Amino acid sequence: MSTLLVVHHTPSPHCQAMFEAVLRGATDPEIEGVDVVRRAALSVSASDFLAADGYVLGSPANLGSISGALKHAFDGSYYQILDSTRGRPFGLYLHGNEGVEGAERAIDSITTGLGWTKAAEYVAISNKPTAQDLEACWELGATVAASLMG
Ligand SMILES: Cc1cc2nc3c(=O)[nH]c(=O)nc-3n(C[C@H](O)[C@H](O)[C@H](O)COP(=O)(O)O)c2cc1C
């Protein structure tokens, strides 16, 4: 059994809708042998990262970057997981308008440092997520989870 860890900061109903769509995709019945664990970014630990085989990260764009909560998740775990999680697949979803590029750059920088592998295109959504937006979130969760199937 593999484990997909979803690390998310979810401060609003729009972000919640995206989070739930990612989970629906990741837990699709056609994806077998993958346990999906979710952790709020403010509560995730280095042990959670180490125990997982792949990751989906979710955040709003705040002040032109990722949320402080998601940054805190890496500030607190980076060196504990460095070299032990190298090569693992990850995906990213963002909610925001201005500053999404800065958030993507922050995640590029963190995941390049960790040596993680981008398993799907980033999903960035603004305003109220449309059905198509939520489909993209579903696809993101399903793609990263499927990459962990034995
Ligand atoms: C401190 C703070 C900073 C923010 N900075 C940005 C920003 O730089 N760009 C942006 O598009 N949205 C920004 N926002 C808005 C959040 O991205 C937004 O609340 C989040 O995506 C959820 O959207 P919703 O409230 O429409 O559901 C900020 C929100 C907060 C609380």
Side-chain angles (χ1 to χ4, degrees):
M1 183 70 96
S2 298
T3 299
L4 173 65
L5 176 66
V6 181
V7 182
H8 64 106
H9 182 55
T10 304
S12 79
H14 293 160
C15 294
Q16 179 71 18
M18 295 173 67
F19 171 59
E20 288 176 6
V22 166
L23 288 180
R24 278 197 301 277
T27 57
D28 185 87
E30 286 191 21
I31 299 169
E32 293 174 350
V34 180
D35 191 22
V36 179
V37 173
R38 76 286 291 274
R39 290 282 183 272
L42 287 173
S43 70
V44 72
S45 68
S47 302
D48 294 321
F49 281 109
L50 291 170
D53 303 286
Y55 313 95
V56 174
L57 311 171
S59 177
N62 283 357
L63 305 173
S65 187
I66 55 173
S67 62
L70 188 57
K71 182 160 184 298
H72 170 79
F74 287 106
D75 285 350
S77 297
Y78 186 87
Y79 282 103
Q80 289 98 313
I81 67 176
L82 184 64
D83 285 332
S84 302
T85 58
R86 201 162 284 282
R88 293 183 185 172
F90 80 98
L92 170 71
Y93 66 92
L94 296 167
H95 188 274
N97 187 9
E98 292 178 18
V100 165
E101 308 78 15
E104 290 178 347
R105 275 197 303 277
I107 292 298
D108 284 344
S109 170
I110 292 164
T111 56
T112 297
L114 290 170
W116 289 3
T117 303
K118 187 175 174 178
E121 286 307 307
Y122 297 160
V123 174
I125 290 167
S126 55
N127 303 314
K128 182 178 181 187
T130 63
Q132 199 178 355
D133 291 336
L134 295 178
E135 177 69 24
C137 291
W138 188 98
E139 197 68 41
L140 174 70
T143 300
V144 183
S147 77
L148 299 177
M149 284 173 72

